[in-house]
Amino acid sequence: YERGELDAALDAAVVATLHYRRVQSVFGEVFVYVHQGSVLLERGRLRDAIDTLRQAWQLARDTAGPNTETEAIAAAMLS
């Protein structure tokens, strides 16, 4: 992402999401969605970015709870 290789970043996000699901790390999955949303914003894919960031926020809220750091990170990026 930081080198501007946005397609590679999106590919890595898919792999990372599958990994975090496999090891049942909700925080990891939320973390990847937040970064994936950032990449989608950089690509100009606003609707996809909003959907991805909303997914991160809802997952964080539903699992970690409202008013948690995880939920706040996702909410901040979504806003």
Side-chain angles (χ1 to χ4, degrees):
Y1 173 77
E2 291 182 11
R3 293 185 303 181
E5 297 179 19
L6 301 180
D7 290 333
L10 290 174
D11 292 342
V14 171
V15 172
T17 300
L18 294 174
H19 167 75
Y20 283 123
R21 283 184 187 159
R22 194 168 47 252
V23 299
Q24 299 178 354
S25 172
V26 174
F27 179 78
E29 195 170 337
V30 170
F31 185 74
V32 171
Y33 289 147
V34 168
H35 283 80
Q36 186 178 19
S38 296
V39 173
L40 291 166
L41 284 172
E42 285 290 321
R43 299 274 304 161
R45 294 172 51 188
L46 183 59
R47 286 188 180 146
D48 292 335
I50 290 169
D51 290 345
T52 300
L53 293 167
R54 186 172 287 130
Q55 184 176 2
W57 176 64
Q58 289 172 338
L59 181 61
R61 188 190 60 214
D62 294 347
T63 57
N67 302 315
T68 60
E69 288 179 23
T70 306
E71 189 262 347
I73 290 167
M77 284 301 297
L78 178 59
S79 67

